[in-house]
């Protein structure tokens, strides 16, 4: 009968699924064991000579550095998405934040962006791009970057909120003592990165994604999860540097139309390199996700204000929601909450490389000169083949040539 056939199918499917999960878990452990030694550390960027004798520790403040993946500047949303984000930016201003109008990331691709941000310079990244290097960049994940070392030497505790499924994240480790991170505030995971990717190769992935769209939301770290933890983790007698990274509004969509957490899992394969961001469906989903992310951002900053009102808060993105449309690829979100005595340090023309130079100047941890606001147009911005690499080019943020390139779209 049909009932017996269904029961047999269910039992058989369950057995194979359990075997599969155990197999990929074993593979994941082996994979992480053999790759951990292959990570290349950015030792060149971590060497620095700096004196901390003149720091006035009583004037130090907690610092929250919050990154959102591929959150565009408002002019990009207006041009490519027919979406005006001004309502949110105005509300941000009402919460004592400055909105940087002409903001850009110096280069695209998250590992490169976070590497230069946490090194406060572009030299190593330029070498990396010009040599077409492919080694892994990840010192910033384990507290081994120049910025994190400076915070440590200044007496700060290092907190991090990064998805457990990201390769190399400290939040997946049982013991943080072997690295330079003091506390991880992140979600618990059921499947790590490798298991998740392997599961995508099976029909089980599509079935779960189609019928249970919120099943995989555990895979994503949402700002409200971190916000709920803050009141219990902010120390009273120590200063913290808390780096948070949220992979949104990067596709796939992570909310439904009512801003309920709902991962549109079938969109992971995308529509193609460009259509993943600028097809009719992609534009609809991304606009909706931005609106929901905005609500999460407001909740997060209001929570920080409630429990840590004297802190410095910087909210940035690592790039834009467009893929090959240079220079719009670099035009990012950049929001700053600074003490009154530091507000004059920042201008409306700003790139991410100077983020911590400004923060350290504000805290009195050295006197750092700003790097050039240089925009790097690299192979990451183009669908080129390996045998036909794109020539890396360099522009100034205020370069008229950038304005000319904008007119092409």
């Amino acid at each position: 009968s049909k009932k017996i056939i269904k029961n047999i199918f269910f039992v058989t499917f369950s057995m194979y699924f359990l075997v599969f999960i155990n197999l990929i878990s074993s593979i994941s452990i082996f994979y992480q064991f053999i790759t951990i030694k292959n990570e290349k550390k950015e030792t060149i960027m971590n060497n620095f000579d700096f004196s901390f004798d003149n720091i006035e520790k009583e004037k130090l403040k907690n610092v929250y550095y919050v990154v959102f993946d591929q959150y565009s500047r408002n002019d990009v949303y207006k041009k490519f998405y027919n979406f005006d984000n001004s309502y949110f930016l105005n509300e941000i201003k009402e919460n004592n934040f400055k909105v940087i109008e002409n903001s850009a990331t110096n280069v695209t691709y998250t590992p490169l962006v976070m590497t230069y941000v946490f090194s406060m310079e572009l030299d190593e990244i330029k070498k990396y791009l010009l040599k077409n290097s492919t080694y892994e960049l990840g010192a910033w994940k384990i507290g081994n970057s120049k910025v994190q070392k400076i915070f440590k030497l200044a007496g700060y505790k290092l907190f991090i909120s990064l998805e457990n499924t990201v390769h190399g994240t400290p939040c997946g480790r049982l013991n943080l003592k072997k690295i330079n991170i003091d506390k991880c505030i992140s979600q618990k995971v059921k499947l790590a990165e490798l298991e998740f990717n392997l599961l995508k190769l099976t029909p089980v992935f599509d079935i779960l994604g189609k019928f249970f769209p919120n099943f995989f939301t555990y895979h994503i770290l949402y700002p409200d999860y971190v916000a709920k933890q803050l009141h219990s983790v902010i120390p009273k007698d120590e200063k913290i540097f808390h780096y948070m990274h949220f992979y949104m509004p990067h596709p796939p969509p992570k909310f439904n139309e009512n801003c309920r957490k709902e991962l549109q899992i079938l969109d992971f394969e995308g529509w193609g390199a460009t259509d993943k961001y600028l097809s009719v469906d992609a534009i609809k989903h991304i606009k909706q996700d931005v609106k929901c992310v905005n609500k999460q951002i407001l909740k997060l900053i209001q929570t920080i204000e409630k429990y840590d009102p004297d802190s410095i808060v910087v909210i940035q993105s690592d790039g834009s929601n467009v893929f090959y449309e240079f220079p719009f690829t670099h035009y990012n979100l950049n929001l700053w909450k600074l003490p009154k005595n530091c507000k004059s340090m920042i201008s409306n023309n700003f790139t991410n490389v100077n983020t911590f130079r400004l923060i350290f100047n504000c805290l009195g941890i050295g006197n750092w000169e700003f790097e050039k606001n240089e925009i790097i147009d690299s192979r990451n911005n183009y669908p080129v083949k390996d045998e036909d690499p794109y020539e890396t080019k360099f522009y100034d943020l205020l370069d008229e040539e950038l304005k000319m390139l904008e007119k092409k779209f």
Side-chain angles (χ1 to χ4, degrees):
S1 68
K2 290 183 178 181
K3 186 174 182 180
I4 294 175
I5 293 174
K6 285 182 179 179
N7 288 337
I8 293 173
F9 172 78
F10 178 77
V11 172
T12 305
F13 173 81
S14 299
M15 290 175 63
Y16 276 103
F17 182 69
L18 289 172
V19 170
F20 176 77
I21 290 297
N22 281 281
L23 175 63
I24 58 180
S25 297
S26 300
I27 294 174
S28 174
I29 293 171
F30 179 69
Y31 171 79
Q32 293 180 40
F33 175 77
I34 64 175
T35 58
I36 191 168
K37 293 182 179 179
N38 294 329
E39 294 184 10
K40 179 168 180 177
K41 304 297 187 297
E42 305 90 298
T43 53
I44 295 177
M45 292 183 287
N46 294 335
N47 293 329
F48 58 93
D49 182 19
F50 186 73
S51 174
F52 293 84
D53 295 337
N54 298 323
I55 295 177
E56 298 180 55
K57 293 199 173 183
E58 66 278 1
K59 293 185 179 180
L60 296 179
K61 301 177 183 296
N62 290 340
V63 177
Y64 297 88
Y65 179 55
V66 188
V67 178
F68 285 88
D69 229 70
Q70 295 189 348
Y71 192 123
S72 301
R73 213 169 66 184
N74 197 27
D75 55 340
V76 178
Y77 284 132
K78 287 180 180 179
K79 184 176 185 65
F80 291 95
Y81 290 82
N82 191 28
F83 171 61
D84 188 352
N85 204 24
S86 297
Y87 77 97
F88 166 69
L89 298 178
N90 289 333
E91 197 161 356
I92 281 290
K93 292 176 183 177
E94 292 176 2
N95 282 271
N96 298 316
F97 277 78
K98 177 178 177 62
V99 177
I100 309 303
E101 303 293 341
N102 189 28
S103 172
T105 183
N106 304 83
V107 69
T108 56
Y109 184 52
T110 300
L112 299 184
V113 174
M114 302 320 301
T115 296
Y116 81 70
V117 167
F118 279 102
S119 69
M120 303 189 291
E121 60 185 50
L122 292 169
D123 290 348
E124 183 68 9
I125 294 302
K126 289 179 181 178
K127 294 176 185 176
Y128 185 95
L129 291 170
L130 292 171
K131 292 180 179 180
N132 290 321
S133 299
T134 57
Y135 60 81
E136 182 166 352
L137 297 165
W140 47 278
K141 298 177 189 176
I142 57 174
N144 198 35
S145 70
K146 179 190 293 186
V147 164
Q148 290 158 316
K149 285 184 174 180
I150 290 174
F151 272 118
K152 268 287 189 179
L153 290 171
Y156 278 74
K157 294 291 186 181
L158 300 185
F159 287 15
I160 189 170
S161 294
L162 187 65
E163 287 181 12
N164 279 326
T165 52
V166 175
H167 176 62
T169 174
C171 298
R173 298 173 184 248
L174 295 176
N175 188 355
L176 295 178
K177 292 181 180 179
K178 294 183 180 180
I179 58 175
N180 208 28
I181 299 296
D182 295 291
K183 191 173 187 63
C184 278
I185 304 170
S186 186
Q187 85 281 37
K188 295 180 180 179
V189 297
K190 301 172 186 175
L191 298 176
E193 180 186 30
L194 183 63
E195 290 111 316
F196 187 83
N197 289 332
L198 288 173
L199 186 62
K200 286 168 60 178
L201 301 176
T202 72
V204 176
F205 186 83
D206 291 343
I207 292 171
L208 290 173
K210 183 175 181 179
F211 294 104
F212 306 98
N214 63 344
F215 181 84
F216 288 103
T217 55
Y218 77 87
H219 179 71
I220 304 298
L221 179 64
Y222 290 84
D224 63 351
Y225 179 89
V226 179
K228 291 175 183 176
Q229 314 299 317
L230 286 180
H231 74 282
S232 61
V233 299
I234 300 173
K236 295 180 180 179
D237 54 352
E238 293 178 303
K239 296 302 177 187
I240 62 169
F241 166 58
H242 191 166
Y243 160 50
M244 312 177 197
H245 198 130
F246 303 104
Y247 287 84
M248 55 187 70
H250 186 296
K254 298 169 182 70
F255 299 91
N256 67 11
E257 59 186 11
N258 297 316
C259 288
R260 181 187 175 190
K261 297 172 187 175
E262 188 175 286
L263 195 61
Q264 303 294 330
I265 206 71
L266 298 181
D267 291 341
F268 257 103
E269 300 304 322
W271 297 275
T274 299
D275 284 348
K276 186 176 181 180
Y277 297 89
L278 295 176
S279 68
V280 173
D281 285 337
I283 288 173
K284 175 185 175 182
H285 281 302
I286 288 174
K287 284 167 64 173
Q288 179 59 47
D289 260 29
V290 170
K291 294 176 183 178
C292 298
V293 169
N294 288 347
K295 294 180 180 180
Q296 295 254 333
I297 292 176
L298 288 169
K299 182 176 181 179
L300 177 63
I301 65 173
Q302 288 164 2
T303 302
I304 295 174
E305 179 66 22
K306 178 179 180 180
Y307 295 109
D308 202 355
D310 198 36
S311 60
I312 292 174
V313 184
V314 179
I315 300 174
Q316 290 180 344
S317 64
D318 61 354
S320 179
N321 268 127
V322 292
F323 203 68
Y324 296 141
E325 289 70 18
F326 179 83
F328 295 101
T329 47
H330 289 55
Y331 294 166
N332 68 329
L333 180 74
N334 213 328
L335 315 172
W336 287 71
K337 176 179 171 285
L338 291 167
K340 288 183 180 180
N341 62 307
C342 299
K343 289 184 177 181
S344 61
M345 294 182 180
I346 194 166
S347 72
N348 269 324
N349 302 305
F350 194 88
T351 57
N352 287 15
V353 70
N354 288 312
T355 299
F356 288 99
R357 290 176 180 265
L358 193 154
I359 289 174
F360 288 143
N361 286 346
C362 179
L363 294 170
I365 304 177
N367 185 15
W368 301 83
E369 293 184 4
F370 278 10
E371 293 277 286
K372 289 173 58 178
N373 283 323
E374 202 167 20
I375 307 299
I376 303 176
D377 184 16
S378 71
R379 67 180 185 273
N380 295 312
N381 299 325
Y382 298 90
V384 295
K385 299 179 181 179
D386 291 338
E387 62 270 18
D388 184 28
Y390 183 82
E391 180 184 357
T392 300
K393 298 178 182 178
F394 305 91
Y395 302 88
D396 185 88
L397 180 61
L398 299 178
D399 199 327
E400 283 299 320
E401 192 172 352
L402 282 182
K403 302 300 179 186
M404 297 297 293
L405 289 170
E406 289 178 13
K407 294 179 181 179
K408 290 169 54 179
F409 299 97

